[in-house]
Structure formats: structure tokens, C-alpha cells
Amino acid sequence: MVGVVTSAGADKTEPTWTIAEIAAEFGVTHRTVRHYEELGLVTPERRGTARLYQRRDRTRLNLILRGKRLGFPLEQIRTIIDLYDAPRGKASQLEYCLAQIDDRRADLEHRRRDIDDALAELDTFAARCREDLDRLR
Amino acid sequence: MVGVVTSAGADKTEPTWTIAEIAAEFGVTHRTVRHYEELGLVTPERRGTARLYQRRDRTRLNLILRGKRLGFPLEQIRTIIDLYDAPRGKASQLEYCLAQIDDRRADLEHRRRDIDDALAELDTFAARCREDLDRLR
DNA sequence: CCGCTGCTTGACGTTAACGTCAACGTAAAG
DNA sequence: CTTTACGTTGACGTTAACGTCAAGCAGCGG
């Protein structure tokens, strides 16, 4: 909890960014960032009408983009982001979190097996290619 | 090269499957299989008008579905499948293959790093959850 | 006050990956 | 020979993830 900024005097800490800066830095368009906001993946503050992005939003964007690189749909990415900052006051909530984490773990480990398999196949294929190439000389 | 089946007497080897069997076995709909055919990802033979799937098609379907689990678009999956059975008679072709393989390797290894990062984060998060849970008792 | 630049809100367009009919062919079963 | 059960070819619908205008507001440099 860093303190609400709202209409009280701005703390001189807490750096912020505009949507254009954020978009450029993360290599996406502002439309993309807005789309993520429409889906509730980021929730920037407002100075008047303009969006103000903070470190929290940058963290989320990193999670989102990694999720996308891994091919997860945005909806699923949202659930995992929500997981990361869900309320964890009660034991039941903590246990729910731990269960979700296990699910995610299983998924990711399955993917890693798939990747390792694919890499192994690529290797044997590459070996065959190099063999054929040697034989050709 | 197993031998052309066409209109010569059918070898009693070479098992085949119908589209329904293939779809059921791979846990997809026949529409999905047809869609893959439209994109050139599988090319079953025909007995009259009906499709006849062979082992070759099953291999491809396995590649396709793994690609999908890893979140690759079908177009990209097609390029890698094409890579696996491209003509490799000339040295230039073999060298092209090896280059492509390197590209694929790089991509897959990037993904694996992403996965490992995600898993590490999940672990520390899980540890915090368990800590909080212990403290709550 | 004027114009420029950047931000905002719609609203419609697009691509990928199928889903979902509809209408028809065909081959084995009764 | 007529069902019945699959199989086939369109063709249009749908969802996700943005792209692409269009049009308006807002601060600020001259």
C-alpha cells in the first residue's frame, strides 16, 4: 500500500507514464493498451481525462506480454493476474490461491515438455541434415 | 517412400482411418480436420470422394496439435511441417533447412525461458502463500 | 486567441480458427 | 429398393485481439 494519490497533493515519488510512452516502451500500439484496459488487465489512474500509468501497470503489462508470447488467451491471462493480487486475508482464500497455482504449474510444465520434445525432434532432424550435407561432398 | 496406392491393388499393409475416427482419436471435430486440410496441413488420399487418412497424416496432426498447445498460429505450424518434409536433395536446400531449424530453436528456447520465469514466480508466490497460511494458525 | 500536438472516446473493419447449418451423395443394412 | 448412417461441399456465423478511421477535447507555445 503506497498511499492513494487521488486529489491530495501528489507525492513527489511514484513515477508515471503516458499511454504513448508505455506503448512505445512495450512495443505495442496505444490501441492494444486500451484493449487490455477494456478487458480489465490494466487499470491506469486518471489525471482529468488522460490515463496515468504507474509501476503497477508496467508489472502487469510484462505479465500480459509474456503470457501472450506463451500463447495464452487474454482472458486466461486476466485470471492469473487477478490471482497475483487477489485478497489473501483468510485461510480459505490462501488455499484457493495455492490450488490455482498448482493448476498453472501443471499447465506450464506440460508446455515445457512439449517444447523439449519439439527441440529434441529438431535436433535429430538437424543431425540428419548435416549428415546428408557431409555425404554430399 | 512407401509406394503409391492409387488404383493399383491395395497393399494389405498401410492402415487407414476415416475422418470421424481421426477426429475422435485426436479429440477434435471433423470440421477442424477439414480446416487443417484447407490450409494444407494435412492432405489425405481419397477413396472415391471420401478422405482416407494414413500414418503420415497422424504424424502431422500430432505436430499440429502440439504446435497449437504451444500457441503457434496454424500458418507458422504449416511452415515447420513443410520444413520437415521439404526436398533436401541439394546442398542449398539442406543449408536452408538448417537455418530454419536454428530459427525455430531460438524461438522455442525463448519460450522455455519465459516458462521457467513464470514457474519461478509462481513458486515464490506459493511460498509466500504458505507462509501467510502458517502464520494464520 | 490560434494552431499544433497528444490524448480520448466511439464505431466499424479485419484476421484466425474454427462452429454451425443446409443440402446433397453413397454405401451398407434390412 | 428404401432407409440409415456417414461423408462431402459450400456458405455464413462467431470469438478473440486488435487495426483503423473519425471527431472531439485539452493544454501550451507563440
Side-chain angles (χ1 to χ4, degrees):
Chain A
M1 290 133 235
V2 190
V4 187
V5 180
T6 53
S7 52
D11 273 321
K12 69 179 146 226
T13 49
E14 287 301 317
T16 63
W17 294 264
T18 84
I19 193 170
E21 291 166 349
I22 286 287
E25 187 174 344
F26 284 88
V28 298
T29 71
H30 77 288
R31 180 65 181 87
T32 300
V33 179
R34 263 187 51 206
H35 182 57
Y36 295 161
E37 183 176 349
E38 290 171 22
L39 298 187
L41 290 166
V42 291
T43 52
E45 308 229 336
R46 297 289 181 130
R47 182 184 46 189
T49 168
R51 293 170 173 82
L52 268 193
Y53 296 85
Q54 298 175 214
R55 278 196 301 267
R56 160 198 173 79
D57 299 305
R58 297 165 58 87
T59 306
R60 281 168 169 249
L61 270 172
N62 273 315
L63 279 174
I64 295 167
L65 296 181
R66 189 178 65 194
K68 284 207 58 191
R69 286 198 302 274
L70 293 176
F72 288 105
L74 293 179
E75 267 308 310
Q76 199 171 341
I77 294 178
R78 194 164 61 79
T79 71
I80 181 183
I81 287 186
D82 289 354
L83 176 65
Y84 268 122
D85 53 23
R88 303 194 304 279
K90 299 190 299 183
S92 61
Q93 293 169 332
L94 283 166
E95 276 153 6
Y96 176 75
C97 274
L98 286 168
Q100 294 292 307
I101 293 175
D102 268 11
D103 287 1
R104 305 272 67 231
R105 273 197 73 84
D107 188 340
L108 289 171
E109 277 165 358
H110 184 202
R111 275 157 187 265
R112 195 166 51 175
R113 276 195 300 278
D114 276 336
I115 287 182
D116 287 344
D117 291 352
L119 280 171
E121 286 173 16
L122 277 183
D123 277 356
T124 71
F125 185 54
R128 252 192 7 235
C129 284
R130 273 190 294 269
E131 225 174 87
D132 293 0
L133 199 54
D134 284 354
R135 204 165 294 157
L136 224 122
R137 291 170 172 163
Chain B
M1 289 148 228
V2 191
V4 187
V5 181
T6 53
S7 53
D11 274 321
K12 68 181 148 222
T13 49
E14 287 301 317
T16 63
W17 294 265
T18 84
I19 193 171
E21 289 165 352
I22 286 287
E25 187 173 343
F26 284 86
V28 300
T29 70
H30 77 288
R31 180 65 182 85
T32 299
V33 179
R34 264 187 50 205
H35 182 57
Y36 296 160
E37 184 176 349
E38 288 171 23
L39 298 187
L41 291 166
V42 291
T43 52
E45 310 228 337
R46 298 288 181 128
R47 182 183 48 189
T49 168
R51 295 170 173 82
L52 268 193
Y53 295 86
Q54 299 174 215
R55 277 197 301 267
R56 160 196 172 81
D57 300 304
R58 296 165 59 88
T59 306
R60 281 167 170 250
L61 270 172
N62 273 314
L63 280 174
I64 295 168
L65 296 182
R66 189 178 65 195
K68 285 207 56 191
R69 285 198 302 271
L70 292 176
F72 288 105
L74 292 179
E75 266 309 311
Q76 201 170 341
I77 294 178
R78 194 164 62 80
T79 72
I80 180 183
I81 287 187
D82 289 355
L83 175 65
Y84 269 123
D85 53 23
R88 304 194 302 278
K90 299 191 298 183
S92 60
Q93 293 169 332
L94 283 166
E95 276 153 6
Y96 176 74
C97 274
L98 286 168
Q100 293 293 306
I101 292 174
D102 268 11
D103 288 1
R104 304 273 66 233
R105 273 196 72 85
D107 188 340
L108 289 171
E109 277 165 358
H110 185 202
R111 276 159 186 263
R112 196 168 50 175
R113 278 194 299 278
D114 277 337
I115 287 181
D116 288 343
D117 291 352
L119 280 171
E121 286 173 17
L122 277 183
D123 277 356
T124 72
F125 185 54
R128 256 199 356 243
C129 283
R130 273 190 293 270
E131 228 174 83
D132 292 1
L133 200 53
D134 284 354
R135 205 165 294 156
L136 226 123
R137 292 169 173 166

